[in-house]
Amino acid sequence: MTTNKKLLAWVQSLAQLCQPDKVYWCDGSDEEYRHLLNEMVASGAAIKLNEEKQPGSYYFQSDPSDVARVENRTFICTNTKEEAGFSNNWMDPSEMKEILRAKFKGCMKGRTMYIVPFSMGPLGSNIAKIGVEITDSAYVVVNMKIMTRMGQPVLDVLGNSNFIPCVHSVGSPLAEGQKDVAWPCAPIDDKYISHFPETQEIWSFGSGYGGNALLGKKCLALRIASYIAKQEGWLAEHMLIMGITNPEGEKKYFAAAFPSACGKTNLAMLIPTIPGWKVETVGDDIAWMKFGADGRLYAINPEAGFFGVVPMTSMKTNSNAMLLVKANTIFTNVGLTPDRDIWWEGIGTECPAGTVNWKNKVHDPASGEPVAHPNARFTAPANQCPVIDKDWENPAGVPISAFLFGGRRPSTVPFVYQARNWNHGVFMGSVVGSEVTAATLGVNDGVRRDPFAMLPFCGYNMGDYFAHWVNLGKNAPYKTKLPKIFNVNWFRKDEKGKWLWPGYGDNIRVLEWIFNACDNTVETINTPIGFMPNKKDINLKGIESVAANLDELLSVNTEKWLEECELIEEHYANFGIHLPNELAEEFVALKNRLK
Ligand code: SAT
Ligand code: MN
C-alpha cells in the first residue's frame, strides 16, 4: 500500500472517470501472477501450456486486428507541432485530452482497474524511473510483471515522490451481463497511443498488444524518457547492450541500434564461432545511459524481461533465445499443437497435424497462411537467458566502449567501418536505414531511413534529437572516454544476390575487430566514409572460404556512395532548420572526400 497523496488522488480520479467494477492494487507477488493467469485460463482468455514441455507457460491469441504497434495511431502531444517534428503524429495536448476524457469515460465498466506500480531500471538505481500504469487488462498486468520490476517494492521505493502516470484501457466496456471476449480491444481507428512529454504522461486507449499497452517499454522508456534525457543531458536509446570478453579475459560493453528485422535479439545473445570469445546479454531493446564519475558513459537496461519476435527463432538461429523461453514464458499469437505445445515457422521441426494457428483455426498447409503471426511474441524473464550478464542489474550500469549502428544494406555499405570522430558517428547514426528493394541490389527503390532506429520512438523533434547527440559529445567530461562509433552491415550481397557474409555467430569476427579498434591495437585504413579494417585483421579462421568475399565486403564504391549521398540529401531535407549545422558540415565533408 501507499500513502503517496498524488498517487491516491490520481487513482481515485481515474476510477471516477473510467468507472470500473473494482479497483485492485498489484503487489507484484508470484501468487498474484499465478492467480491472474488462472483467472484468464478459467475465462478462456489464456491456455496453460503442457507442463512437461513448457513448464509455467501460457498461450494467448490476440484479436486479429490487434497484432502490433500502431504507428499511425501513436501521438506526440507537445505544445507545438514543430516540437514533435515531421516523424511524429502531432496533436494539441488540450485537444487530445478532451478526446481522451470522452474515450475513457466509463471505459472500464464491467472490468477491474489494476494499479501497476513499476520501475524501469533496477529498483533504486539513480538512472531508474518509476511509473504507475492503470490498466483494465490482466494480460497487461502479467506481462508487466515479467517486463518490469513491479508491485509493492516499487511503492516502497517511491514513497511520496513523483511518478510517471500511465493510463491504459483496452477500450471495450462491458454492459450489464455482457460476456467478455478472449481479447477485448477497440477498432483500429479508435486507438489512441498518446504521449504528453511536457507533463510526462501517457494515455493509451484501444489496444492490448505489446508496445501499445505495456506502457513502460516504448512509451515510457523511449518516447517520454528521450524527452527527459534531452533536458537532463543523458541518453534513452533503442539499443541492445552486450558484454564481450576476449580470450585474454578482457571485457568490453557495446550498445547497438538497428531498425526492426535486423536481428537485434540474435546479436544481443550471439554465440561466438571463434574459440575463447564470450558474449553476454545486458539488454536486447533499450539502453539508458549517463556519464559516471570516471567520465565514461554507463548503460542500464531499464527492462526486466524480453518481449521478442518468435517466428524464425530456433536452436540453429538463436539457441539462447530458445533456452530463455523454455519455461515461465507467455506466448502470444504463435501456433498451438494438439498436445498444448507451441509451434512457429522456422522453429526447426515439422508442424504437427492438427496445430491451431494464431487465428484459432486448424492450420491448413495448402492455405499458404502462416501458423504464427509474423509479429508473434514471447514474454520471458531476462534472468532466464543462459548468457545474461552478471552486471545486468547493476544499478550503476555497465561502461560502454562502442556504439554500433547498422541496417539491412545489400549494396553500398561495407560490413564495418569506424567513425572519424564523434560528430561523424552522429552523422552515421542519423542516416541508418534498410534498403526496401525486392531485387536486393542497388538503392534504386530507396532506403527506408530509421535514424538511430529511433524514428517511431523519439518523443520530440528528431532534428533536435540529433543536436542532443552532438551536444552530448561536446559537453562530455572527457572526450577521449566517449564510446567509439561504428557502422556494421551483415547483409551485403553480391551481384547475383548471394550473401557475402555468413552472419549470426560469425558476426563475432566483426565484433573482434571493433574490440581491437577500441583499444587502437589494429591499424585502420582512412577512406572517404570512415576508418576501415585491413583484410588481415578480420579473423577468418574456420571460414577461410569467405576470404574471397572480403574485397567486396570492404569496398567503398564511389559511384554508389554518390548515389547514396543523393538519398541522404532527400532524407536530410525532412529536418529543415532543425538539422544541426554540425551534421550538415559532416555531410558536406563526406561529399568532398568522395570527390
Ligand atoms: O510491441 S513492441 O513495441 O513492444 C515491440 C516492437 O514493436 O518493437
Ligand atoms: Mn524494439
Side-chain angles (χ1 to χ4, degrees):
M1 279 287 104
T2 180
T3 55
N4 187 309
K5 286 210 182 73
K6 181 190 160 190
L7 175 53
L8 291 168
W10 177 67
V11 168
Q12 196 178 24
S13 76
L14 272 148
Q16 265 162 21
L17 177 66
C18 303
Q19 300 163 35
D21 280 8
K22 272 185 290 196
V23 175
Y24 174 84
W25 288 74
C26 297
D27 63 19
S29 64
D30 295 343
E31 295 71 45
E32 174 183 273
Y33 176 78
R34 272 192 296 273
H35 176 74
L36 289 172
L37 280 160
N38 286 340
E39 274 188 352
M40 286 188 277
V41 169
S43 78
I47 287 173
K48 172 107 181 59
L49 289 168
N50 187 320
E51 190 59 23
E52 265 155 45
K53 308 205 157 156
Q54 274 295 148
S57 300
Y58 294 84
Y59 174 78
F60 288 83
Q61 288 169 347
S62 79
D63 187 272
S65 71
D66 196 25
V67 293
R69 281 183 297 104
V70 281
E71 287 179 12
N72 63 333
R73 303 301 305 167
T74 299
F75 301 91
I76 299 293
C77 307
T78 41
N79 271 323
T80 62
K81 186 169 164 51
E82 181 102 10
E83 286 161 278
F86 85 96
S87 54
N88 286 309
N89 299 308
W90 176 79
M91 182 92 88
D92 175 75
S94 40
E95 222 171 283
M96 180 59 100
K97 279 281 171 69
E98 210 169 297
I99 294 173
L100 291 170
R101 253 191 295 276
K103 290 283 157 204
F104 277 86
K105 191 160 181 224
C107 71
M108 296 189 185
K109 275 190 184 153
R111 301 191 181 280
T112 299
M113 173 191 267
Y114 300 94
I115 320 297
V116 186
F118 64 93
S119 174
M120 298 313 287
L123 263 180
S125 158
N126 78 328
I127 313 184
K129 294 254 178 261
I130 288 179
V132 181
E133 176 162 353
I134 283 181
T135 178
D136 54 5
S137 161
Y139 171 84
V140 165
V141 177
V142 293
N143 275 272
M144 288 294 281
K145 156 89 171 156
I146 296 176
M147 294 304 297
T148 72
R149 288 87 177 167
M150 188 274 261
Q152 186 60 42
V154 179
L155 291 178
D156 296 342
V157 169
L158 177 67
N160 289 315
S161 314
N162 219 346
F163 59 93
I164 299 174
C166 311
V167 190
H168 171 252
S169 172
V170 294
S172 183
L174 294 168
E176 196 70 40
Q178 183 186 343
K179 196 173 153 15
D180 202 3
V181 294
W183 185 283
C185 62
I188 185 83
D189 53 1
D190 207 24
K191 299 186 206 284
Y192 294 84
I193 322 300
S194 351
H195 306 71
F196 300 85
E198 282 141 358
T199 50
Q200 294 182 20
E201 294 167 74
I202 299 160
W203 290 72
S204 169
F205 183 88
S207 168
Y209 205 90
N212 300 332
L214 313 175
L215 302 186
K217 197 174 178 55
K218 309 293 190 186
C219 297
L220 193 160
L222 288 177
R223 296 194 192 97
I224 296 293
S226 62
Y227 183 90
I228 301 173
K230 171 165 168 70
Q231 288 178 320
E232 297 180 354
W234 50 283
L235 292 172
E237 299 300 323
H238 190 206
M239 289 182 176
L240 66 85
I241 310 164
M242 66 200 304
I244 300 170
T245 308
N246 72 7
E248 288 71 48
E250 238 182 289
K251 185 167 190 177
K252 293 187 199 302
Y253 289 94
F254 296 170
F258 300 91
S260 55
C262 289
K264 217 159 114 216
T265 303
N266 289 345
L267 182 62
M269 300 175 193
L270 178 138
I271 298 160
T273 54
I274 44 180
W277 287 80
K278 191 158 76 180
V279 166
E280 287 157 298
T281 315
V282 177
D284 79 332
D285 198 35
I286 300 175
W288 284 359
M289 291 168 276
K290 282 187 181 170
F291 287 109
D294 62 357
R296 297 192 70 188
L297 201 54
Y298 283 78
I300 64 162
N301 170 11
E303 303 191 276
F306 299 124
F307 185 66
V309 173
V310 175
M312 300 320 288
T313 305
S314 70
M315 284 310 277
K316 237 176 157 171
T317 59
N318 189 344
S319 63
N320 283 329
M322 293 299 280
L323 298 171
L324 160 72
V325 303
K326 220 35 236 152
N328 312 313
T329 296
I330 295 171
F331 292 94
T332 308
N333 284 349
V334 301
L336 181 69
T337 71
D339 57 354
R340 278 183 301 116
D341 197 3
I342 62 253
W343 193 91
W344 52 79
E345 280 71 19
I347 195 172
T349 58
E350 286 281 296
C351 182
T355 293
V356 165
N357 66 18
W358 72 277
K359 287 180 171 167
N360 207 28
K361 296 251 158 42
V362 174
H363 175 56
D364 170 12
S367 72
E369 276 194 45
V371 170
H373 185 278
N375 193 38
R377 296 278 172 159
F378 61 75
T379 320
N383 61 14
Q384 290 188 178
C385 175
V387 293
I388 197 74
D389 193 85
K390 70 168 178 21
D391 273 327
W392 84 277
E393 294 201 277
N394 186 338
V398 296
I400 299 299
S401 296
F403 285 128
L404 277 51
F405 296 119
R408 273 182 184 267
R409 298 300 307 265
S411 79
T412 315
V413 178
F415 89 144
V416 61
Y417 59 102
Q418 183 182 350
R420 308 168 69 83
N421 52 48
W422 181 263
N423 283 351
H424 181 227
V426 177
F427 170 79
M428 274 159 40
S430 76
V431 300
V432 162
S434 288
E435 279 167 44
V436 286
T437 157
T440 65
L441 261 196
V443 293
N444 305 337
D445 294 335
V447 175
R448 184 175 298 129
R449 301 286 164 183
D450 185 0
F452 292 79
M454 278 291 277
L455 206 59
F457 305 119
C458 186
Y460 60 100
N461 189 303
M462 212 77 224
D464 298 344
Y465 166 91
F466 295 163
H468 176 47
W469 266 83
V470 168
N471 289 332
L472 196 97
K474 208 178 279 169
N475 303 328
Y478 301 95
K479 301 214 177 3
T480 52
K481 294 191 181 183
L482 278 168
K484 301 211 161 90
I485 303 179
F486 299 83
N487 199 85
V488 296
N489 176 26
W490 332 124
F491 301 98
R492 271 304 285 271
K493 292 185 169 177
D494 68 11
E495 264 118 55
K496 295 191 194 95
K498 262 186 60 190
W499 299 114
L500 290 168
W501 181 250
Y504 293 107
D506 284 317
N507 290 340
I508 188 68
R509 301 165 192 276
V510 181
L511 301 180
E512 175 184 20
W513 184 80
I514 292 173
F515 191 104
N516 294 332
C518 285
D519 288 338
N520 298 315
T521 58
V522 282
E523 263 179 44
T524 58
I525 302 173
N526 189 353
T527 80
I529 64 164
F531 299 123
M532 295 195 34
N534 282 298
K535 277 196 287 181
K536 67 168 174 53
D537 291 325
I538 302 290
N539 179 349
L540 294 181
K541 219 171 276 160
I543 54 163
E544 284 77 9
S545 65
V546 177
N549 298 343
L550 264 194
D551 279 326
E552 180 66 20
L553 281 164
L554 292 171
S555 69
V556 180
N557 179 321
T558 307
E559 212 172 293
K560 283 246 155 71
W561 271 91
L562 288 171
E563 275 175 43
E564 176 80 7
C565 285
E566 279 169 36
L567 297 178
I568 292 173
E569 195 92 50
E570 280 170 34
H571 166 59
Y572 264 15
N574 289 313
F575 300 92
I577 58 160
H578 289 266
L579 186 78
N581 287 334
E582 289 84 351
L583 294 195
E585 285 161 14
E586 283 298 330
F587 188 30
V588 170
L590 169 66
K591 285 185 281 192
N592 286 337
R593 289 193 302 268
L594 285 166
K595 266 182 202 150

